[in-house]
Amino acid sequence: MSTAWESFVAAAPQVADAPTPELREALARMDREGRDAWPELPVAAVDFATRLAGCLDPSTPALPQLQRIPAADLFLAVACASGDSRAIATFERTHARQIASALRRMKNRHLLPDDFMQILRRKLFVGDAQQPPAISRYAGQGAIGAWVRVTALRTALNLTRGQRPPERGITGDEDLFDFTDDAPLDPEIHHLKTLYRDAFRRAFLDTLAELEPRDKTLLRQSVLHGLAVQEIARLHDVHRATVSRWLGQVRAQLVDGTRRALRERLDVSAAELDSIMGLIASRLDVSVARALRPTDE
Amino acid sequence: MECPDDAEIVAFAEGYLDRTRRDEIRAHADACAECAGLVAEAARLDPDSLAVGNDAPISALDGDAAPGRGDVVGRYWLLDTLGEGGLGRVYAAYDPELDRKVAIKLIRPEVTRHLSEGELSTRLVREAKALAQVRHPNVVAVHDVGTAHGRVFVAMELVAGTTLRQWLGQARRDWSEIRDVFVAAADGLRAAHAAGLVHRDFKPGNVLLDEAGRVQVADFGLARAVGDSPSGRAAPRVRASDVAETKLDATITASGVVLGTPAYMAPEQHRGATVDAKADQFAFCVALFEALYGARPFAGETIDELLEAIAARRFALPARSARVPRWLHRAVAKGLQHDPAARFESMAELRAALEVDRRQRRRWGAALVAGALTVVAGLGWARALQRQEDPAAVQQVQSLVAAAREAASRAHFVYPPREDPTAPTAYLRVRELEAMTGPGEALADARALQLRKEFAATLVRLGDEYWQRPGGDLFAVDYYAAALVFEPDHPRAAERIRLTPGQLLGLADKAARLAFTDAELVAAAPLVALARADEPARLAALRALYAAQPRPGIATTAALETLLGEEAARVLGIDAAPGPPEPPAIVAAAPIVDDEPTVAAVSEARVSPAVPRSPVVAPRPEPGTSAGSEDETPESASSSPSDPAAARALAALGHAALAEGRLDDAAKAFHGALREDRGHAGALSGLGEVYFQRQAHDKAIDFYERATRAAPKNGSYRIGLGDAYFKVLRYDDALAQYERALALGQSRAQRRIDKLHAKLGTQAPR
């Protein structure tokens, strides 16, 4: 019967080369943290240590990596991966809100929460012939809550498009346009949209197509995904004030470009165009607001 | 690249991946909508509060449990609990919008329960306005008042320090020390009174002293903002039963009305009469008396006893009677009069009475004292910062700062030297500072921010210097671009050159990874040379530039020649004649973007007075237009060397200017393009559009005709030409062009054809 430390050393090659007391201490601390967070869950110290070792990238030093792993999250994942029903119940209780929020953003009215939970549960904790339980792939890089949201969203995406392979990948700008365009909120806009539907659509999409990929990503993150400015800033490693300014520029580019393209396509006076563009600009704002609202109640 | 799996997406969003992988995933997410969505999901900070909005039920705020760390109130994220006040709990919180910490006072629901929702919000708006008016160094600023989850919150300046109560308890304070603090507090009260606000709950617990010793009065007017009875009804009198269980030194509320703190309340406030600044004066003097003598002026176990003592002017026996000067005691006693009319007229008067002893020395001493205080406060700050850091971290920060300055002093702000392309630049050092974690983090962040501003300012200064000089704008553009890397919001740099976010990100990315191509570094080399402050050094650096291979490109050389004058250029050995192969001029002019020439940078680089114009051939003047002013015709440029890449870039620039309605700029750019390539169809049609918009239809026709000759298969140009024909009533010609455009796939021609037929009364052949 080997100790947790021995299993850890055995499973992590770079530790085997240099087993320091600091590492040993870190391991003990993480084990303690996990147990303090979930005292009712039975996880063998050896299992936890082995899993921790598995999370390490052998090409870089172990200690800093170890220190960044959220011990309590990984502990729960290990417990769930062992199939312990109490652990799974705990997991669902703890992360129900995360899952629900990811699902809410799917805007899919046909996806019944109960069915979805069943499918997600199977994916997370049971797996199938090709895939081991997904929970066993959580490697402590980032909070488990975020990981669950991503997994839930991906599962929901896969379900909605009838199991198309995930590397389907590249889509056009239609999604952005759809978002800007769906559900008329007031009769006037509806009227204009039907009147100029094609021209507006093409003008908008042409303009979008000319945006830099990164600018488009910014727009998508803000409008379509409804990310807050500070969240976008985090993804781009810049300050949030910078993101605000960028977004302002991209939006201005979009509106100006649409205006120009629309003017090319339509035979309307400048004043009329102005009023149309005013409405379009306000629609962009509405879209942003909508993006921040719950979509599926 | 394959789509990353869930775990990697989370690792990306949370910053776990190394730089290379991070960049890969970022680029992938630019193209893959699904991954972009998943990344966004992972990046969400709090799914319930942020994404769903504040209407949704969230967390503890809706239940009975006390809200805590991580809960969201309005736009603020609660951090630690700072304390519990009479009205509610106070939290440190983070304001993501302004990126600062604030204090949030979350009012207990009982306090506002008597108000209807509408009443509450009207009142809040009104009070928030009033509170916002009071900006004074001795008043804790109120940033925001609002409701969240049915509770009122007040966002205030976060003061790191102690309350006056704690300060008094920490040590035995000399009367003059105490007096100074109270004088500052009196200034705060005075400022608020001037804005028409009454504090109504002044007490030592509501006065804060920060680390630098600044005194600030908190919770100003809060009592009125959230309490008070609706519709102007007088506040009810405090009955003993209301406060039977309440201590005399706690804020009390009755039926939701905030009444103040009994021990500090003026008799009229106890009675429930209208309260004005004199009640604050009374409370102030109770607090001052207490601070000076260690006991409150009026003794009493109950409110009735207290009131009786006040009415009888029966001061409690001072515990430390000895040290307080008689004049000071007299001033305090006057503020404690039962009858408001017998107190000082105003806080200003009271304040003067508190400083009687100084009046003589004041006049000449004021300036000195103020200066000394500033110095002391500054020292206090520096010490506070140092204290938090451990010495190793501080040293690390300092050495990084020094390294950044060193690189900057050699003008390697963003671009490394060409001969050593991996040498850390100033920008890289700043990024290293920003990436620091652990004990030195706060200091490193502060220093990095400071350096960013400093370097951006230096670069903008360089930009300004060259911007106005003939030939210098080419370099100014790059200095501005570099400044934007350090400070993407720098107003002048952002105004002078327009980089799209993507372009700027591209440049910053390259700068962060030192991923510049050799051509870019060659093009950037003059920036280093021109940053030298003294002329000989500058010239020597430039000479070295031309001694090495590859030499700077033709555009750079031309600009330098203009900048330095031909004589100097010859001395330097700058040979403007087109030499051996070199990077295309445009790329040399703007090493800013990945591979394509940037419209923005080119715009500033090429459409400049420094680029000599071709001889002007007098244009046909158009009545009522200004078309002739900056005009030249492309034929005149027939002999100039053709540069298709430059023509393309300039034409793109022209179209961009056109889209923004800058017709003059557009015309300049198009003419520039035609100088490089006289048959450039895009530039020809662009000029057609320019003249069309200026209603110079004949000229528009001229250019559009040439555009269609250059590109016969372009339907758009034919539509443009048709529109111009239409305007000069050449309907048949217009129709012919529209029909050809339609045949070329321009569906928008159909509408015009229909319109023409309608106009001509003919039937469109279908």
Side-chain angles (χ1 to χ4, degrees):
Chain A
M1 184 74 193
S2 60
T3 66
W5 170 243
E6 285 160 359
S7 324
F8 182 72
V9 173
Q14 83 267 48
V15 177
D17 293 345
T20 63
E22 287 81 19
L23 274 169
R24 188 166 190 158
E25 208 171 277
L27 180 70
R29 182 182 46 75
M30 294 179 78
D31 190 78
R32 211 161 45 239
E33 254 175 52
R35 277 171 219 289
D36 286 353
W38 315 108
E40 73 281 13
L41 299 185
V43 172
V46 170
D47 292 347
F48 186 54
T50 312
R51 184 82 192 86
L52 266 173
C55 292
L56 300 178
D57 172 359
S59 62
T60 56
L63 190 60
Q65 290 190 62
L66 217 49
Q67 283 164 340
R68 292 193 71 187
I69 293 177
D73 282 357
L74 192 71
F75 193 88
L76 179 59
V78 172
C80 290
S82 73
D84 181 76
S85 59
R86 238 181 328 167
I88 292 174
T90 304
F91 183 96
E92 288 182 5
R93 203 174 52 242
T94 317
H95 295 294
R97 282 196 308 144
Q98 309 268 11
I99 296 169
S101 73
L103 194 57
R104 239 188 331 240
R105 271 187 292 278
M106 273 293 295
K107 294 202 290 182
N108 187 336
R109 283 162 217 282
H110 306 296
L111 211 56
L112 297 175
D114 284 356
D115 293 350
F116 176 74
M117 274 311 290
Q118 277 306 328
I119 293 164
L120 183 65
R121 212 169 268 144
R122 204 164 61 228
K123 181 172 175 179
L124 285 174
F125 307 120
V126 184
D128 55 32
Q130 289 95 39
Q131 295 276 343
I135 191 81
S136 63
R137 286 200 302 274
Y138 170 69
Q141 293 203 316
I144 202 167
W147 177 82
V148 168
R149 290 203 307 276
V150 172
T151 302
L153 185 61
R154 194 195 289 279
T155 307
L157 283 171
N158 286 341
L159 284 173
T160 11
R161 59 158 179 262
Q163 306 298 338
R164 262 181 286 169
E167 58 271 15
R168 184 185 61 105
I170 325 276
T171 67
D173 300 323
E174 296 281 329
D175 53 352
L176 257 178
F177 177 77
D178 287 347
F179 206 91
T180 325
D181 195 49
D182 60 357
L185 293 175
D186 81 61
E188 194 175 4
I189 290 170
H190 186 63
H191 172 72
L192 279 168
K193 215 184 62 185
T194 34
L195 203 59
Y196 299 118
R197 185 174 178 91
D198 282 349
F200 173 57
R201 182 187 183 78
R202 285 205 332 261
F204 186 86
L205 288 178
D206 284 358
T207 312
L208 266 182
E210 282 165 16
L211 290 183
E212 299 250 326
R214 285 230 164 95
D215 294 354
K216 220 185 300 177
T217 300
L218 279 173
L219 202 62
R220 192 175 263 130
Q221 283 165 345
S222 153
V223 174
L224 196 62
H225 305 313
L227 285 194
V229 165
Q230 71 271 16
E231 294 166 337
I232 301 178
R234 223 158 55 110
L235 287 174
H236 291 276
D237 291 336
V238 294
H239 194 270
R240 56 186 63 75
T242 307
V243 169
S244 299
R245 187 171 142 257
W246 285 354
L247 278 174
Q249 285 177 355
V250 175
R251 284 165 60 94
Q253 256 181 307
L254 192 58
V255 173
D256 291 351
T258 306
R259 160 190 286 274
R260 180 172 154 71
L262 202 56
R263 200 177 40 106
E264 270 179 10
R265 292 192 166 82
L266 296 179
D267 209 3
V268 292
S269 72
E272 206 179 330
L273 188 67
D274 274 340
S275 74
I276 297 171
M277 289 310 296
L279 285 166
I280 292 168
S282 70
R283 282 296 313 280
L284 282 175
D285 288 333
V286 169
S287 299
V288 173
R290 283 160 39 84
L292 296 172
R293 278 216 309 268
T295 47
D296 212 357
E297 247 68 44
Chain B
M1 176 183 147
E2 290 221 346
C3 294
D5 72 6
D6 298 352
E8 194 167 27
I9 282 175
V10 174
F12 165 74
E14 303 219 346
Y16 276 74
L17 300 182
D18 65 39
R19 200 180 268 173
T20 325
R21 187 67 184 149
R22 213 166 146 69
D23 288 344
E24 273 169 23
I25 292 187
R26 208 179 271 149
H28 173 74
D30 281 348
C32 174
E34 177 167 323
C35 287
L38 294 170
V39 164
E41 191 58 58
R44 270 175 233 286
L45 290 167
D46 180 341
D48 293 287
S49 60
L50 284 174
V52 181
N54 288 329
D55 307 332
I58 84 150
S59 65
L61 282 166
D62 295 298
D64 292 328
R69 198 181 174 88
D71 282 320
V72 173
V73 172
R75 68 171 197 243
Y76 309 95
W77 306 348
L78 298 189
L79 303 171
D80 304 315
T81 306
L82 295 177
E84 185 85 46
L87 298 173
R89 193 172 285 193
V90 184
Y91 299 85
Y94 175 69
D95 175 357
E97 223 157 273
L98 297 175
D99 190 22
R100 64 178 176 191
K101 273 189 167 183
V102 297
I104 295 274
K105 187 162 220 167
L106 200 57
I107 309 298
R108 286 200 313 265
E110 317 74 277
V111 177
T112 55
R113 198 154 280 161
H114 61 296
L115 294 172
S116 76
E117 220 169 277
E119 246 172 338
L120 190 58
S121 63
T122 325
R123 183 179 296 255
L124 282 174
V125 171
R126 196 185 63 215
E127 294 300 333
K129 277 186 188 158
L131 289 170
Q133 277 169 11
V134 185
R135 292 285 174 202
H136 189 274
N138 299 115
V139 175
V140 174
V142 170
H143 300 312
D144 189 11
V145 181
T147 53
H149 322 291
R151 293 197 199 179
V152 175
F153 68 84
V154 182
M156 302 170 283
E157 184 182 349
L158 180 65
V159 179
T162 56
T163 66
L164 176 56
R165 172 162 301 296
Q166 290 164 333
W167 182 80
L168 288 166
Q170 279 165 6
R172 204 189 163 105
R173 308 287 180 182
D174 185 42
W175 68 263
S176 67
E177 233 181 318
I178 293 171
R179 185 263 308 270
D180 289 347
V181 169
F182 273 82
V183 162
D187 283 341
L189 280 175
R190 206 159 52 134
H193 292 164
L197 282 174
V198 179
H199 192 297
R200 312 219 309 174
D201 197 12
F202 183 92
K203 56 183 174 182
N206 278 340
V207 178
L208 305 174
L209 284 91
D210 73 11
E211 283 157 354
R214 181 156 71 122
V215 179
Q216 285 168 285
V217 184
D219 280 2
F220 229 101
L222 206 53
R224 204 173 125 76
V226 296
D228 210 353
S229 51
S231 327
R233 222 183 328 132
R237 181 190 164 162
V238 187
R239 281 161 297 138
S241 60
D242 288 331
V243 287
E245 301 295 314
T246 315
K247 284 194 285 180
L248 292 180
D249 54 1
T251 300
I252 54 164
T253 64
S255 327
V257 178
V258 179
L259 297 167
T261 304
Y264 297 89
M265 277 159 63
E268 66 268 24
Q269 201 171 354
H270 279 287
R271 278 199 309 275
T274 319
V275 163
D276 61 13
K278 296 233 171 143
D280 281 351
Q281 186 187 139
F282 186 93
F284 178 92
C285 287
V286 173
L288 177 52
F289 188 100
E290 186 183 10
L292 291 170
Y293 295 107
R296 301 212 184 96
F298 304 106
E301 293 293 304
T302 66
I303 289 177
D304 285 339
E305 285 176 28
L306 202 61
L307 284 171
E308 210 189 281
I310 297 171
R313 300 181 199 177
R314 194 172 61 231
F315 285 168
L317 278 177
R320 6 177 167 121
S321 50
R323 301 274 173 232
V324 181
R326 190 174 291 270
W327 54 265
L328 184 54
H329 180 88
R330 271 203 304 272
V332 177
K334 185 166 182 189
L336 289 172
Q337 292 298 306
H338 182 274
D339 178 8
R343 298 174 205 154
F344 290 99
E345 263 312 297
S346 65
M347 287 306 293
E349 244 180 60
L350 168 57
R351 184 193 191 283
L354 295 180
E355 290 193 301
V356 176
D357 58 326
R358 281 195 180 138
R359 213 167 280 163
Q360 296 316 309
R361 279 175 286 157
R362 253 185 107 69
R363 224 162 283 132
W364 58 267
L368 268 179
V369 170
L373 277 177
T374 317
V375 171
V376 168
L379 285 175
W381 262 114
R383 253 203 311 279
L385 264 177
Q386 299 282 349
R387 227 191 353 258
Q388 296 163 2
E389 321 288 351
D390 81 59
V394 170
Q395 191 171 7
Q396 192 187 350
V397 170
Q398 281 167 350
S399 68
L400 278 172
V401 169
R405 287 230 167 82
E406 200 266 335
S409 72
R410 286 182 288 112
H412 294 303
F413 290 99
V414 167
Y415 298 97
R418 196 181 150 243
E419 57 279 8
D420 185 6
T422 56
T425 57
Y427 181 62
L428 226 59
R429 294 301 192 192
V430 169
R431 300 267 301 203
E432 275 175 53
L433 274 172
E434 285 165 342
M436 264 185 73
T437 52
E441 193 173 339
L443 182 64
D445 277 351
R447 288 285 177 275
L449 190 67
Q450 189 188 342
L451 286 179
R452 272 181 184 269
K453 289 200 176 303
E454 184 182 318
F455 294 156
T458 306
L459 286 160
V460 167
R461 221 167 26 246
L462 281 165
D464 289 349
E465 189 187 330
Y466 285 103
W467 179 260
Q468 285 131 11
R469 292 168 56 179
D473 48 358
L474 187 82
F475 308 106
V477 168
D478 277 341
Y479 286 128
Y480 288 134
L484 288 179
V485 169
F486 283 103
E487 198 183 341
D489 292 317
H490 193 287
R492 187 154 65 249
E495 178 204 312
R496 290 223 162 137
I497 64 164
R498 292 160 176 232
L499 295 183
T500 72
Q503 288 167 339
L504 186 53
L505 206 55
L507 177 57
D509 259 11
K510 282 189 168 191
R513 292 184 290 121
L514 289 182
F516 295 108
T517 64
D518 191 51
E520 283 169 335
L521 292 183
V522 169
L527 299 178
V528 174
L530 291 173
R532 295 289 159 89
D534 60 316
E535 179 107 15
R538 198 157 55 222
L539 293 181
L542 285 171
R543 197 176 304 131
L545 225 56
Y546 277 85
Q549 286 296 335
R551 302 169 70 179
I554 189 168
T556 308
T557 304
L560 278 175
E561 214 180 23
T562 318
L563 189 67
L564 303 170
E566 276 181 40
E567 189 59 28
R570 225 184 346 267
V571 170
L572 280 182
I574 293 180
D575 184 2
E582 57 195 339
I586 293 300
V587 174
I592 291 175
V593 280
D594 303 340
D595 305 304
E596 290 290 312
T598 148
V599 162
V602 171
S603 84
E604 310 301 347
R606 300 302 298 257
V607 182
S608 69
V611 178
R613 293 235 179 86
S614 332
V616 173
V617 172
R620 207 164 4 144
E622 292 293 335
T625 70
S626 59
S629 54
E630 82 296 63
D631 218 284
E632 63 255 65
T633 53
E635 279 83 355
S636 61
S638 55
S639 59
S640 35
S642 167
D643 182 347
R648 262 203 310 282
L650 283 165
L653 162 64
H655 281 292
L658 193 55
E660 287 168 14
R662 294 184 285 115
L663 293 186
D664 291 349
D665 291 346
K668 279 185 200 167
F670 289 135
H671 282 304
L674 291 178
R675 270 198 301 278
E676 302 290 350
D677 176 4
R678 52 180 300 219
H680 193 282
L684 287 168
S685 77
L687 279 171
E689 173 70 18
V690 167
Y691 288 115
F692 186 84
Q693 288 196 24
R694 287 175 174 167
Q695 321 246 332
H697 301 300
D698 288 338
K699 234 174 151 69
I701 288 171
D702 187 30
F703 280 107
Y704 269 129
E705 278 177 347
R706 285 161 55 190
T708 53
R709 277 201 298 279
K713 295 238 186 280
N714 186 309
S716 275
Y717 300 165
R718 297 198 177 269
I719 287 187
L721 180 55
D723 287 352
Y725 282 145
F726 183 89
K727 289 286 185 187
V728 296
L729 313 182
R730 289 166 65 178
Y731 293 138
D732 288 344
D733 292 336
L735 191 58
Q737 291 302 328
Y738 290 150
E739 276 166 353
R740 291 198 57 181
L742 188 64
L744 287 165
Q746 287 287 329
S747 53
R748 62 193 159 120
Q750 186 62 57
R751 209 184 142 92
R752 289 173 162 81
I753 293 171
D754 294 345
K755 197 171 151 188
L756 253 178
H757 281 302
K759 194 155 202 126
L760 298 172
T762 53
Q763 187 59 49
R766 292 269 174 176

